[in-house]
């Protein structure tokens, strides 16, 4: 485990009504040691979608809620900075569910995992939810 840390935004408490300053908290996490099939993605852009508010409620809807103490779920675009997966080489732009954090450990896993940005596409406009 590295001594270096990166920032993650975690759900601190479930909001009773609106989002407040106490809803989220910053957490410093140690850089992970990658296992085979994993890549480390530096998150560059986050998607902020209305559905994220429903993920803060305790009830399951079309997906499970974000747990208290967990990184806030969200789509994003980033670049692979370290890899132990030939499908996700260093330098590759990817998009998918990266969460509210500076770095994410990713596996190539399809639509709601991490997907390589196709050559010729602008990484900033890729989203698993775009038409």
């Amino acid at each position: 485990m590295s001594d270096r840390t990166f920032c993650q935004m975690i759900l601190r408490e479930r909001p009773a009504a609106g989002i407040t300053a106490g809803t989220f908290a910053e957490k410093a996490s140690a850089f992970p040691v990658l296992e085979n099939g994993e890549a480390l993605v530096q998150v560059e852009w986050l998607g902020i979608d209305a559905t994220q508010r429903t993920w803060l409620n305790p009830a399951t809807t079309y997906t499970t809620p974000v747990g208290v103490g967990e990184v806030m779920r969200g789509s994003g675009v980033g670049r692979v900075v370290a890899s132990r997966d030939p499908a996700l080489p260093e330098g590759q732009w990817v998009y998918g569910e990266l969460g509210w954090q500076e770095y994410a450990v990713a596996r190539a896993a399809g639509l709601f995992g991490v997907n390589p940005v196709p050559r010729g596409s602008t990484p900033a406009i890729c989203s698993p939810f775009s038409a």
Side-chain angles (χ1 to χ4, degrees):
M1 192 76 63
S2 170
D3 290 336
R4 292 180 44 212
T5 62
F6 65 98
C7 182
Q8 297 177 306
M9 293 302 292
I10 62 163
L11 179 61
R12 187 172 160 269
E13 62 186 22
R14 294 206 184 280
I19 304 297
T20 68
T23 303
F24 298 101
E26 282 188 32
K27 177 183 175 187
S29 294
F31 275 79
V33 174
L34 297 178
E35 298 190 13
N36 288 334
E38 294 181 333
L40 184 66
V41 176
Q42 183 173 9
V43 180
E44 297 288 337
W45 293 281
L46 291 176
I48 306 298
D49 307 298
T51 192
Q52 289 172 310
R53 176 59 184 89
T54 66
W55 301 340
L56 302 179
N57 297 330
T60 297
T61 56
Y62 65 94
T63 189
T64 58
V66 174
V68 173
E70 292 180 357
V71 173
M72 180 59 194
R73 184 182 308 133
S75 62
V77 176
R79 186 186 301 260
V80 175
V81 295
S83 183
R84 293 194 61 192
D85 182 350
L88 296 172
E90 288 183 29
Q92 172 72 55
W93 284 98
V94 296
Y95 67 96
E97 193 173 295
L98 299 176
W100 292 11
Q101 53 192 340
E102 290 180 305
Y103 292 87
V105 174
R107 292 181 170 270
L111 183 62
F112 292 104
V114 173
N115 305 271
V117 171
R119 288 190 190 278
S121 296
T122 302
I125 61 171
C126 287
S127 166
F129 308 108
S130 61

